[in-house]
Amino acid sequence: MDNVRPMNRDAADHDGFTRLPPHNAEAEAYVLGSCIHQPRHIPALRNLITGADFYRPAHELIWNVLGELFDAGQPTEPVALARALEKRKDLKRAGGAAYLSALANYSWPAPDYYADFVRETADLRAAEELGRRISLYAYEPDAEPAQVVTFIDDYLATQRERAVGRSGDPVDALLAELLDASSLDNMPTLEPLVGDLLHLDSLARVIGPSGHMKSFVVIDIAAHVGTGKPWHGHHVTQGTVVYLVAEGHRGIRKRVRAWEKHHGMKMDNVLFLPRPVQTRGPEWDTWIEAMRRLQPALIVIDTQARVSVGVEENSNTELGLVVERLDDLRRATGACVLPIHHTGHIGEHGRGASAAKGALQSEFHVSKKGDNASNIVVTMKVGKQKDDEEGDDLQFGLKVITLAGEFKPDGRPVTSVVLESLAPTGPVHNSPEWLVQILDRADIPLAWGSPRVIKWCAESDIQMRKSKIEEAVKIRKTRNTFDDPRNARNDLPPNLPRDLESTSPRDLGGTSGEFEENPRSNIPPQTGGGRGDGPTKPPSPRSPSREGGGAGSEEEKTPSDTPHCTVCNKPLHGYRLDRGYDTCLQHDTDAA
C-alpha cells in the first residue's frame, strides 16, 4: 500500500463502494518508461508535468530520480536507476528492481502524448480535492460560507504554481538548454556500427539504380553485423539485425544460403520480415514498439518506396513525414535505420524530393559495371558522411555460389552470388608474403637463409610449412639488389667495387650463366682445397635460397702464372686479382 496515495475514508459512495480519484496509471508508466530509454525527452516533459502530477508516490519518486540522473549526465536505464534509488534507500519504496524493469517495457517515441493524460488527471484530482474539502466543511458545526471562498483561493493559487512549475517562462526554458563549449564534452558521440561508414542511433540510406546489387551489398553488411565478422576490412559492432523485405522476398533465401556457404558459417542474429509495413499506416506504430522491445543494432528497410505507398515522392512535405516516421523508429530503438532507395533518371541522387537527404547521417551510392558475374564490378561510393570523412570508394567482385542439392526444373543447379572485395586487404595470414612482413618488422637480416629463419619461426611460435618459409626467404633476397636501401642490413663486403655492375667479371668457372642467375651473392670467391695436386677452381656464387653455397662440380688446375697471396701462398682470384691486391680478403680482415 506504500505506492497508493491515502484517501479519506469519507470519500466513498453512500452505497459503500469506494470511488478512486481520477488517475491513469498506464499513462504514467508510458511517460516513465520512455524517459528510462530516451532521457532526451525529459527537458520537454518537464514543461508539461511535475512530480506532484503523478498519482502513485512511487512514480513521483522515480520521476524525480530520473531527472537527477539526467541533470548529472548519468545513464537512466533500469540498472542505473535502481542503483541510484538504492543509494537513497528508496528502492523498495519505488517498487523494487523488478518493477523498474517492468516499467521499462512501457516506452513510446512521443511520450508527451501520455504526459498530457498525466497532467489532465492531476488537474481533475485537484478539482476533486477542492470539492471534497468544501463538502466536508459544509457539515462542520461551525462552518461559515465565507470560508469556502478561502478554499477556492487556495486552489487557484496552487494551480497557478503548478502551471509555473510545468512550463515556467518559455524564454528561460529555452536559455536553459544552451550549452557552453565545455558542456559539449558531455554530449554522447556517434558509436560506430561498421567502421566509419555506419553508426548506431543514426539514419542512413543506400541508393542506386534498379538491378545494381544494392540488396546484395546490404545483405552482406547485415550478415557481418549479425555475426560480428569484420566487413571487408572494416571493424563491426555485433548486434541483432532486422531486415524488412518489402520487395523481392522470394529471392532472399538463396542469397542467405550462398553467403553461409561462402563464409562457412550460419547467418546468426539476422531476422527477416518478408512483407512491407507502411510508414503512414497504423501498423508502423506497432512496428516501432516491436523493434523497441527487440533493440536491434541495424534495421534495414528494403525498399523505401515499398513502405511509403501512396506518398508523393516529389513532395518535400509528404516525403518529410516519411522521414520523420523513420526517425521515430531510430529514436525508439537507438539502431541504425538503413532504408534502400532507387535513384532517379540521372542515377546520382535518390529518387524524389530532396527532403530525405538532409536528415541522413550517411548515404551510399551503389552501382555496377559489367554484363556477367566474371567481369562485374560493384562500386559503393560514399555520397554523404555528416560527421566523418567520406573516404575512398569500395569495389567488389562477384563470386558464383552453387547451392548444394538444389536444382532448377531443367536440372541446372541453383546458384547465387556473394561479394568479394577487390581492394587489397594485406597478405593472407601464414602466406609467404605475410611472413616477409613479419621478418621485416622484426629486422631479421636479409642474409639469413632458410635454416636460420625456420629456427627463428619455431622460437617465435610461428607455425608454417618449410616450403612457405623458403619461399619467404627467396622473396626477401630477391629484393636485395645493390640499389636497394635495405642493403644497410646486408652482409655484403664494405669494399665491394661498384663497377661490378658495368664491368664484366672474369670467368670464375661454374656452369654457363651461373653468375647472371645469382648476381646477389655476398660471398667472395674462395679456393677449393680439394683433393689433387693443384687447387680447384673457385666456388661459384651460392644460390640465394641455400645457406652456405657450394663449389663447382668440375675441378680445374690454376695456371702456374697466377699470382699468389704473400701470406698464405694461395692463388688470388676475382676482383682481388683485378684490383692488384697481393693478399687474400681474410688477411685484410685480420689486419684490420
Side-chain angles (χ1 to χ4, degrees):
M1 299 297 290
D2 291 338
N3 288 329
V4 179
R5 295 189 185 277
M7 184 181 67
N8 191 290
R9 61 177 181 158
D10 295 322
D13 291 338
H14 295 292
D15 56 8
F17 290 98
T18 302
R19 185 187 310 172
L20 294 176
H23 68 284
N24 193 324
E26 191 173 25
E28 295 181 4
Y30 270 110
V31 170
L32 296 176
S34 300
C35 292
I36 289 174
H37 283 296
Q38 306 166 65
R40 62 181 178 275
H41 290 303
I42 292 178
L45 295 180
R46 281 173 168 169
N47 294 330
L48 299 175
I49 58 175
T50 65
D53 290 333
F54 289 92
Y55 175 68
R56 299 189 63 184
H59 289 172
E60 179 180 2
L61 173 61
I62 294 170
W63 167 262
N64 292 334
V65 175
L66 282 172
E68 294 174 4
L69 292 174
F70 175 80
D71 293 338
Q74 299 178 8
T76 58
E77 62 264 18
V79 175
L81 180 58
R83 183 179 180 184
L85 287 165
E86 181 65 28
K87 286 183 178 180
R88 296 169 48 136
K89 308 297 183 184
D90 285 333
L91 181 58
K92 182 178 179 181
R93 194 160 66 92
Y99 181 71
L100 297 179
S101 297
L103 198 63
N105 291 326
Y106 291 85
S107 180
W108 193 252
D112 53 335
Y113 174 81
Y114 290 101
D116 288 338
F117 282 107
V118 174
R119 181 186 60 196
E120 291 171 3
T121 54
D123 289 340
L124 291 174
R125 285 198 302 274
E128 188 265 350
E129 175 66 14
L130 172 63
R132 186 183 66 82
R133 290 183 64 190
I134 294 175
S135 176
L136 291 176
Y137 180 76
Y139 287 97
E140 296 291 336
D142 54 349
E144 296 181 1
Q147 185 65 30
V148 175
V149 178
T150 304
F151 294 157
I152 297 175
D153 289 341
D154 292 342
Y155 165 78
L156 294 176
T158 301
Q159 288 299 96
R160 283 194 296 269
E161 292 176 1
R162 290 164 64 85
V164 172
R166 286 169 177 165
S167 59
D169 186 349
V171 176
D172 289 340
L174 183 60
L175 291 174
E177 295 184 38
L178 297 178
L179 302 176
D180 57 21
S182 59
S183 301
L184 295 177
D185 294 332
N186 298 324
M187 296 180 63
T189 58
L190 286 172
E191 297 181 47
L193 178 64
V194 179
D196 294 328
L197 302 174
L198 295 175
H199 302 83
L200 293 169
D201 196 17
S202 70
L203 182 60
R205 188 169 69 171
V206 173
I207 63 173
S210 179
H212 277 238
M213 314 298 293
K214 300 185 299 297
S215 295
F216 281 92
V217 171
V218 176
I219 287 175
D220 194 51
I221 293 174
H224 283 76
V225 172
T227 59
K229 182 181 176 70
W231 187 72
H232 302 284
H234 295 271
H235 173 75
V236 164
T237 300
Q238 185 176 16
T240 301
V241 180
V242 177
Y243 198 114
L244 196 157
V245 193
E247 69 177 35
H249 62 274
R250 293 183 180 273
I252 195 72
R253 184 195 63 83
K254 71 174 187 176
R255 297 179 184 181
V256 172
R257 295 293 173 260
W259 188 94
E260 292 177 334
K261 181 177 180 180
H262 176 67
H263 291 275
M265 61 191 307
K266 297 292 291 182
M267 192 184 291
D268 293 329
N269 300 318
V270 182
L271 306 174
F272 299 90
L273 181 66
R275 66 176 182 85
V277 178
Q278 298 302 319
T279 55
R280 300 294 301 276
E283 193 181 16
W284 189 257
D285 290 329
T286 304
W287 172 251
I288 290 177
E289 177 60 18
M291 294 300 97
R292 186 198 63 77
R293 296 184 186 182
L294 188 61
Q295 290 294 299
L298 174 64
I299 303 175
V300 177
I301 310 294
D302 189 0
T303 61
Q304 175 183 311
R306 294 300 300 163
V307 299
S308 55
V309 175
V311 173
E312 175 53 52
E313 286 187 335
N314 294 319
S315 168
N316 277 317
T317 300
E318 294 196 23
L319 189 59
L321 294 175
V322 173
V323 173
E324 182 61 25
R325 296 302 278 154
L326 293 172
D327 220 27
D328 287 341
L329 179 61
R330 175 195 62 80
R331 286 190 290 263
T333 60
C336 173
V337 178
L338 183 64
I340 301 174
H341 191 44
H342 298 295
T343 52
H345 296 295
I346 299 177
E348 293 294 330
H349 304 285
R351 192 175 63 196
S354 60
K357 188 168 184 176
L360 301 175
Q361 177 69 35
S362 311
E363 186 177 63
F364 308 95
H365 183 277
V366 175
S367 61
K368 74 172 183 179
K369 291 184 178 180
D371 52 9
N372 58 69
S374 63
N375 61 18
I376 283 179
V377 175
V378 179
T379 301
M380 178 174 168
K381 179 179 180 180
V382 182
K384 176 182 178 181
Q385 281 289 9
K386 185 178 291 186
D387 297 304
D388 287 295
E389 295 182 7
E390 293 185 357
D392 298 329
D393 297 348
L394 303 176
Q395 289 191 325
F396 308 94
L398 300 182
K399 181 177 180 180
V400 179
I401 302 297
T402 301
L403 303 186
E406 298 191 30
F407 299 93
K408 298 179 180 179
D410 59 1
R412 291 177 297 153
V414 175
T415 62
S416 187
V417 296
V418 294
L419 298 181
E420 288 190 320
S421 179
L422 297 181
T425 57
V428 178
H429 183 72
N430 268 17
S431 66
E433 293 77 12
W434 174 83
L435 181 58
V436 167
Q437 288 190 355
I438 298 299
L439 295 173
D440 288 344
R441 292 170 187 168
D443 205 31
I444 299 301
L446 294 175
W448 277 23
S450 299
R452 296 185 69 178
V453 175
I454 290 172
K455 181 180 178 182
W456 182 85
C457 289
E459 293 172 349
S460 303
D461 293 328
I462 297 177
Q463 299 181 358
M464 291 184 65
R465 295 173 57 184
K466 179 182 177 182
S467 60
K468 290 186 176 181
I469 297 178
E470 291 175 342
E471 179 64 20
V473 172
K474 184 176 180 180
I475 291 173
R476 298 184 83 227
K477 289 193 173 184
T478 301
R479 301 181 312 185
N480 184 20
T481 63
F482 289 126
D483 290 330
D484 194 326
R486 283 169 295 199
N487 274 340
R489 296 189 337 220
N490 198 3
D491 296 333
L492 290 171
N495 56 355
L496 187 65
R498 292 286 301 171
D499 59 358
L500 281 180
E501 296 177 355
S502 58
T503 303
S504 300
R506 296 177 73 249
D507 184 9
L508 300 179
T511 59
S512 175
E514 184 176 7
F515 185 85
E516 288 74 9
E517 294 175 1
N518 299 277
R520 293 164 301 283
S521 175
N522 53 16
I523 301 298
Q526 301 292 331
T527 55
R531 296 180 181 180
D533 297 333
T536 62
K537 73 171 186 176
S540 61
R542 69 178 173 184
S543 169
S545 62
R546 299 194 304 271
E547 186 75 2
S553 59
E554 298 179 0
E555 295 186 354
E556 181 182 9
K557 291 186 178 182
T558 305
S560 59
D561 58 349
T562 300
H564 288 66
C565 175
T566 58
V567 178
C568 64
N569 200 34
K570 293 182 179 180
L572 293 174
H573 296 279
Y575 75 91
R576 304 290 295 179
L577 180 61
D578 294 338
R579 306 288 285 191
Y581 289 92
D582 59 359
T583 60
C584 297
L585 177 63
Q586 60 184 356
H587 300 303
D588 286 350
T589 305
D590 294 339

